[in-house]
Amino acid sequence: MPIVSMTVNGQLVSAEVEGRTLLVQFLRESLHLTGTHVGCDTSQCGCCTVHVDGKAVKSCSLLALACDGATVTTIEGLAVNGKLHPMQEAFHEHHGLQCGFCTPGMIMSAVDMVNRKGNGLDAQTIRAQLEGNICRCTGYHNIVKAIQAGAAAMQVAEIPVTARSAGIGEPVRRKEDLRLITGKGCFSDDVNLPRQVYAVMVRSPHAHARILAIDTQNALATPGVLTVLTARDMLADGLRPIPHHPFALHPADIRMANTDGSPVFAAPHYPLAPDKARYVGEAVAMVIADTVAAAKDGAERVGVDYAALPAVTNTVAAAQPDAPRVWDEASSNVCLDADVGDREATAAAFARATHIVKFDTWVQRVTGVPMEPRAAVGAYDAATGQYTLYAGSSGAVRLKDDLATMLNVPAATVRVVMRDVGGHFGTRGMIYPEFALVAWAARRVARPVKWTCERIEAFVSDYQGRDLAVEAELALDADGNFLAMRGSNIGNAGAHTGNFSPLQKGVEIMSSIYRVPAAHFRARAVVSNTTPTRPYRSAGRPEVIFVMERLIDLAARQCGFDRVELRRRNLLTEAELPYTNPFGMIYDSGAYHEVMEKALVLGDWPGFAARRAAARGRSKCRGIGVANYVDTATGVPRERAEVTVHPEGRVDVIIGTVSTGQGHETSFAQLVTEWLGVPIENVRIMTGDTDFVKVGGGTHSGRGMRLASIVIWNSSQQIIAKGTRLAALLLRCEPSEIRFKDGRFTMAGGDRSVGLFDVAASAMQLNDLPEDLRGPLAACSDETVNVASFPYGSHVCEVEIDPELGSVEVVRYAAVDDVGRAVNPMIIDGQVHGGIAQGVGQALLEQCFYDSATGQLLSGSFMDYSMPRAHNFPFFATQISEVPSPTHPLGMRPAGEGGTTPALGVVINAVVDALADYGVKHVEMPATPERVWRAIHGGEMLAPSGSH
């Protein structure tokens, strides 16, 4: 093999490389510089950006041999003598990252931008220059701020750092950022084990086909290939299907069942398809080889004999009796057909209504697109029978239990380890087939097996989201009071019955935070020849809030009401709470009117008329919209924390949630700092390894901070109580005389005190203590929380449209979100920004577009699937409302999903308002330039693939 030599981060390196080795592969695999990440296969995302001879280059697009003699700088080489580069420091100071996967490439691009463009960069220039970099988490708001600050600081090699305290309510800089901005994070693909081999999946090119035979002979003859495994091997070894849990089982969520009393159809989801491929991209075989390249070569040589079958991808079409059946075992593709609400009361209300407004829509399918592609390493110890899986997900404990079920082994023989996780958004919240396959393959080949998903592969194999067809009606009296609503929701589960909770958790809050006395909906779930769906950020709620907010705007326009006044008339008041909505959900508390009024002020609703007039002077159409929302936070109700105070001056917190960008290492530590009075740098949050995490529901459904705060609080109070007794013995007084504050136990009325860590040392050292005071100063809290939380808020969006092109620009966006009690406002604002961006992305850009004839995914790469980029957004105006929740002992509500929940509705409301002069009543999502242009010119778009 040829030898390549280059200078990397100041060191001359030489190594043999294959001719097809990319620079990013050389850096990661040969030099172990894993801070350079791979986020796509098409040079679109920028995660792999490094500097080659002083210029930013996407290292996934350059052969290593082409860099012979070059000077290369990676994120690991940006800091000098241990001092952060000003741009790294700016990203830390201005919260320019969340999961951190895209951050190294973003920082390297930013430094190059300043080198090329100079220090005086305005926001518009920065956004344009970031065209080649994608971030899924942040909404780019803080990235642009960070680059502006970093550019200024590069002149003086120093950035101003704001001094902050570290308790609850403070915008503390994130502890985890320091490893992420320097390339020292550890994501799933960064894990490598001795003697590991590599897996590549053979995936179906058909949306629906019977598997007649699989020929592995040519693949097995490929150099480097060790084995090829098929469903026959899988079944012979006793592997079981994925243990899907299709319904949300939290006690606060509504229950749904088939109206005819028949059981809900559940399809077995094996990790390799044993009989039929039911969607393009379903795995049918797995090739194991010494190298990734050899495994790919082998996969190309696997021969699969398919008998193609008719396919159905359209949501409504799949529900028809004559649709091609995805599962022969079922009588139809409808696997759930439920009624919710009160049919008779609703019919009576509609009968006396003065106005009835109708709205039919399809909330299109999208995909989560975490910037870190999935990866997994499986290992098996034959001597102990122990399996170990390294993979990213929302929580290690559930992944362990599900993996044990699939492998058909006791849970005690399975360990799951997850470190940094590059985004989650719900679509990463369940075990994937490949996770079980690598663990099983490791036992078969007696070596660790690694699999890394390529982005194009991810588009067809990652769980997808949304995809809801809705027919809805709203009944009003002559004064505009809402009387009732009714309709039909059809959710598309994809090829497997993996999850109905978006349908369930959506329909249960269909009426939002408005006074709707009666409601009735038919809720159906169908299977189709598409990738399976799962909850995606705010599971089911953005879809139904979109429907309700569009109904209100349509009612205002159709019936002659002012749209803001119509909302004011029907919003629930604080005096009406707690309030049971017509589906049985009990809203705890909220200042719904207040947050809407704050949002209208923040979005300068009164000043809009002048801005619209100015836009008309530029031949542009300007529109404004408002949307209110409520979100249901339930999820797995049980969580556990173990808190230990170590004499050497450290507090360890073991907990079952996993951060996927939410900043738990900081915000959870802030709780400990607040309650135990220890420096935040002395608090270590330990998650993601089932060797020490025994219980935990993971991060989803807004349960992270909501449940973690309860179990950490309980544990802290136990430690203080135990410490008080110990301090009393040390200070020779009664426990009632001891006061605890700022990390010290002080005798009342005196100056004698002892510190928390000294007390912990005494508990370990003294032999004459009561039995229950001996040993580590530690406590455990294991709680099951059976009440829901209801975060809420109001958003205002303003858009400008070029009628000649149909292009939509979001020019202003304001959001007021209530979180009960804010632990870290900086982190909350960042979560809101990212949520807004994902909602706006769906409203204007994103769609998993399937060809209805073939079932092929036509938006299967970053060149076809339109991701939100920095230039798609303005700076956001956000405000946090803090009305304590009475159902949480500390008053907290979740903050991670509220940005997304109203965004679909508020953006389309603004778009339609901008087009009001053209008589446009609605534009379906995504509101692409073509769709907007056709609406302006009276043309009809082809029906979207999930519409009626």
Side-chain angles (χ1 to χ4, degrees):
M1 286 193 294
I3 295 176
V4 65
S5 297
M6 63 184 76
T7 300
V8 180
N9 297 334
Q11 300 292 318
L12 181 64
V13 296
S14 298
E16 290 184 340
V17 295
E18 283 192 67
R20 56 182 166 180
T21 300
L22 297 171
L23 176 58
V24 66
Q25 295 167 333
F26 177 70
L27 295 171
R28 291 180 56 81
E29 296 163 17
S30 298
L31 304 185
H32 308 296
L33 294 171
T34 55
T36 301
H37 298 144
V38 180
C40 71
D41 321 305
T42 52
S43 303
Q44 295 291 305
C45 74
C47 292
C48 66
T49 303
V50 299
H51 293 175
V52 177
D53 293 332
K55 296 181 179 179
V57 170
K58 293 179 179 177
S59 58
C60 75
S61 64
L62 196 63
L63 292 172
L65 287 174
C67 298
D68 191 53
T71 297
V72 177
T73 304
T74 71
I75 190 69
E76 291 90 343
L78 203 57
V80 178
N81 298 323
K83 181 178 174 58
L84 292 178
H85 185 281
M87 192 62 72
Q88 291 171 308
E89 185 62 57
F91 269 69
H92 186 205
E93 173 68 14
H94 292 274
H95 189 33
L97 63 152
Q98 289 184 27
C99 81
F101 189 82
C102 73
T103 305
M106 197 74 71
I107 290 174
M108 299 303 289
S109 297
V111 172
D112 174 72
M113 185 193 311
V114 176
N115 289 339
R116 288 184 293 106
K117 296 288 185 178
N119 301 89
L121 296 172
D122 60 30
Q124 185 175 0
T125 299
I126 293 171
R127 293 181 187 278
Q129 291 293 309
L130 288 178
E131 172 69 21
N133 294 78
I134 300 175
C135 175
R136 191 54 153 169
C137 296
T138 66
Y140 303 97
H141 178 110
N142 288 336
I143 288 176
V144 176
K145 294 281 190 184
I147 293 174
Q148 287 181 314
M154 283 172 65
Q155 289 183 305
V156 294
E158 189 172 339
I159 187 165
V161 176
T162 303
R164 299 175 171 97
S165 57
I168 291 175
E170 298 296 330
V172 180
R173 293 201 303 173
R174 301 197 324 169
K175 297 170 65 177
E176 49 269 67
D177 287 359
L178 293 176
R179 69 173 180 275
L180 298 171
I181 61 177
T182 55
K184 296 176 182 175
C186 185
F187 296 90
S188 296
D189 191 42
D190 300 337
V191 176
N192 294 287
L193 300 178
R195 300 181 62 247
Q196 76 183 15
V197 292
Y198 300 87
V200 166
M201 304 299 154
V202 178
R203 299 188 182 275
S204 170
H206 299 283
H208 199 194
R210 200 168 301 281
I211 302 168
L212 303 178
I214 299 179
D215 184 353
T216 63
Q217 286 186 340
N218 291 336
L220 289 169
T222 303
V225 170
L226 302 177
T227 189
V228 180
L229 299 173
T230 67
R232 179 178 296 179
D233 305 305
M234 173 192 73
L235 295 173
D237 281 4
L239 263 69
R240 294 178 175 178
I242 294 175
H244 288 300
H245 310 283
F247 288 106
L249 298 178
H250 192 283
D253 288 310
I254 66 169
R255 296 293 177 262
M256 296 200 306
N258 284 329
T259 53
D260 63 4
S262 63
V264 174
F265 175 69
H269 185 183
Y270 283 99
L272 292 174
D275 55 350
K276 293 199 301 184
R278 291 177 172 84
Y279 63 94
V280 172
E282 186 161 23
V284 299
M286 174 173 56
V287 179
I288 311 295
D290 289 328
T291 65
V292 174
K296 287 184 176 181
D297 291 343
E300 291 288 335
R301 292 173 171 83
V302 174
V304 185
D305 188 7
Y306 295 101
L309 299 169
V312 60
T313 61
N314 178 291
T315 304
V316 175
Q320 303 309 308
D322 59 348
R325 267 191 293 162
V326 179
W327 290 89
D328 298 334
E329 300 89 334
S331 58
S332 76
N333 292 326
V334 178
C335 40
L336 170 68
D337 191 345
D339 271 1
V340 293
D342 188 327
R343 182 191 297 268
E344 289 74 22
T346 302
F350 268 84
R352 64 176 185 271
T354 304
H355 306 287
I356 296 176
V357 180
K358 298 182 179 181
F359 179 50
D360 292 359
T361 190
W362 175 57
V363 181
Q364 82 277 24
R365 178 181 291 231
V366 295
T367 185
V369 200
M371 289 314 299
E372 178 201 11
R374 289 181 292 121
V377 182
Y380 178 73
D381 186 333
T384 63
Q386 182 81 20
Y387 292 88
T388 302
L389 175 71
Y390 299 85
S393 185
S394 66
V397 175
R398 179 176 176 180
L399 187 52
K400 168 185 173 172
D401 292 342
D402 289 348
L403 180 58
T405 298
M406 294 180 70
L407 295 174
N408 199 13
V409 299
T413 65
V414 174
R415 178 191 180 197
V416 168
V417 181
M418 53 187 66
R419 293 173 179 151
D420 292 309
V421 181
H424 166 26
F425 315 126
T427 56
R428 198 171 234 154
M430 181 69 188
I431 192 170
Y432 275 88
E434 297 86 358
F435 293 177
L437 291 175
V438 295
W440 167 55
R443 181 173 65 79
R444 292 277 304 218
V445 301
R447 293 171 67 178
V449 177
K450 181 174 184 176
W451 170 79
T452 300
C453 190
E454 295 184 344
R455 181 60 67 183
I456 290 175
E457 185 181 15
F459 270 107
V460 295
S461 64
D462 281 7
Y463 296 126
Q464 297 173 352
R466 309 291 189 233
D467 203 336
L468 183 75
V470 181
E471 297 174 344
E473 293 180 291
L474 180 65
L476 304 88
D477 68 13
D479 296 323
N481 296 304
F482 298 163
L483 301 178
M485 65 186 308
R486 66 187 177 191
S488 164
N489 290 0
I490 307 176
N492 192 334
H496 295 281
T497 53
N499 205 290
F500 304 144
S501 66
L503 179 69
Q504 173 190 9
K505 290 171 74 67
V507 74
E508 69 187 16
I509 60 162
M510 201 85 201
S511 57
S512 186
I513 48 178
Y514 298 101
R515 192 182 306 103
V516 181
H520 173 261
F521 268 77
R522 183 184 185 187
R524 284 173 286 173
V526 297
V527 288
S528 66
N529 296 114
T530 57
T531 304
T533 57
R534 261 195 58 76
Y536 169 57
R537 198 165 190 166
S538 191
R541 283 90 80 190
E543 298 96 303
V544 301
I545 297 299
F546 167 75
V547 171
M548 188 59 173
E549 293 297 323
R550 289 297 300 125
L551 276 169
I552 295 172
D553 266 28
L554 287 167
R557 185 166 173 178
Q558 177 178 318
C559 309
F561 299 112
D562 178 271
R563 50 192 167 145
V564 173
E565 290 302 324
L566 191 58
R567 287 174 169 84
R568 286 176 177 144
R569 172 176 288 272
N570 290 284
L571 274 173
L572 292 166
T573 64
E574 290 186 69
E576 293 174 274
L577 299 171
Y579 175 85
T580 302
N581 82 4
F583 303 101
M585 299 299 288
I586 304 173
Y587 302 156
D588 52 3
S589 68
Y592 304 150
H593 284 265
E594 182 179 330
V595 296
M596 186 178 77
E597 299 306 325
K598 287 180 177 178
L600 294 173
V601 171
L602 192 63
D604 188 21
W605 192 276
F608 171 71
R611 294 190 295 277
R612 169 174 271 178
R616 283 175 174 155
R618 292 180 276 106
S619 300
K620 299 291 179 67
C621 304
R622 198 165 180 122
I624 194 169
V626 62
N628 300 310
Y629 77 93
V630 66
D631 199 358
T632 307
T634 50
V636 176
R638 185 183 177 194
E639 193 52 72
R640 184 175 192 264
E642 300 174 41
V643 180
T644 303
V645 180
H646 295 280
E648 58 268 29
R650 188 182 75 246
V651 177
D652 285 345
V653 179
I654 296 173
I655 196 163
T657 64
V658 172
S659 178
T660 56
Q662 297 90 343
H664 291 171
E665 290 178 48
T666 302
S667 56
F668 289 2
Q670 285 180 255
L671 302 177
V672 177
T673 293
E674 177 81 14
W675 296 327
L676 294 184
V678 299
I680 194 169
E681 58 269 19
N682 292 19
V683 181
R684 182 173 65 171
I685 307 299
M686 302 171 65
T687 68
D689 187 338
T690 58
D691 261 8
F692 52 78
V693 177
K694 305 304 180 187
V695 173
T699 303
H700 66 275
S701 302
R703 69 181 300 283
M705 175 60 74
R706 179 168 56 94
L707 299 192
S709 59
I710 295 173
V711 292
I712 294 173
W713 163 261
N714 290 343
S715 299
S716 298
Q717 297 313 298
Q718 293 174 43
I719 284 172
I720 292 169
K722 185 176 179 180
T724 296
R725 292 173 59 199
L726 284 163
L729 292 172
L730 294 172
L731 298 176
R732 302 184 184 279
C733 65
E734 292 298 318
S736 60
E737 299 179 71
I738 296 294
R739 302 292 180 267
F740 180 76
K741 185 179 180 181
D742 297 333
R744 297 195 69 80
F745 297 91
T746 303
M747 217 176 117
D751 57 0
R752 297 170 60 200
S753 67
V754 61
L756 178 67
F757 296 114
D758 293 328
V759 169
S762 298
M764 297 291 291
Q765 294 166 2
L766 298 179
N767 297 320
D768 57 349
L769 296 173
E771 186 66 30
D772 64 332
L773 296 182
R774 295 179 187 174
L777 183 55
C780 173
S781 175
D782 191 327
E783 295 291 329
T784 298
V785 181
N786 287 326
V787 293
S789 183
F790 295 94
Y792 62 92
S794 183
H795 290 198
V796 172
C797 176
E798 203 165 319
V799 302
E800 199 165 274
I801 296 174
D802 184 334
E804 294 298 315
L805 301 175
S807 56
V808 180
E809 180 185 0
V810 178
V811 291
R812 296 167 68 99
Y813 198 107
V816 180
D817 301 276
D818 192 280
V819 300
R821 186 182 184 190
V823 174
N824 188 317
M826 179 192 75
I827 289 177
I828 290 172
D829 282 339
Q831 289 283 294
V832 172
H833 296 163
I836 291 170
Q838 286 183 283
V840 173
Q842 174 154 15
L844 298 180
L845 300 166
E846 299 179 48
Q847 181 177 346
C848 292
F849 195 96
Y850 285 89
D851 180 84
S852 59
T854 65
Q856 296 292 326
L857 181 67
L858 302 183
S859 52
S861 77
F862 281 144
M863 294 188 291
D864 309 299
Y865 187 92
S866 185
M867 287 287 287
R869 311 223 179 200
H871 72 266
N872 295 121
F873 303 104
F875 285 124
F876 305 120
T878 58
Q879 190 177 114
I880 295 171
S881 168
E882 295 184 86
V883 176
S885 168
T887 61
H888 189 283
L890 304 167
M892 295 180 184
R893 305 180 205 268
E897 297 183 320
T900 304
T901 308
L904 281 61
V906 75
V907 171
I908 298 302
N909 280 350
V911 168
V912 175
D913 182 58
L915 302 178
D917 289 347
Y918 294 96
V920 175
K921 296 180 179 179
H922 180 63
V923 178
E924 281 282 75
M925 298 186 294
T928 61
E930 180 189 6
R931 187 166 276 167
V932 171
W933 188 91
R934 288 182 182 274
I936 290 171
H937 294 276
E940 293 295 328
M941 283 293 293
L942 294 175
S945 64
S947 67
H948 298 271

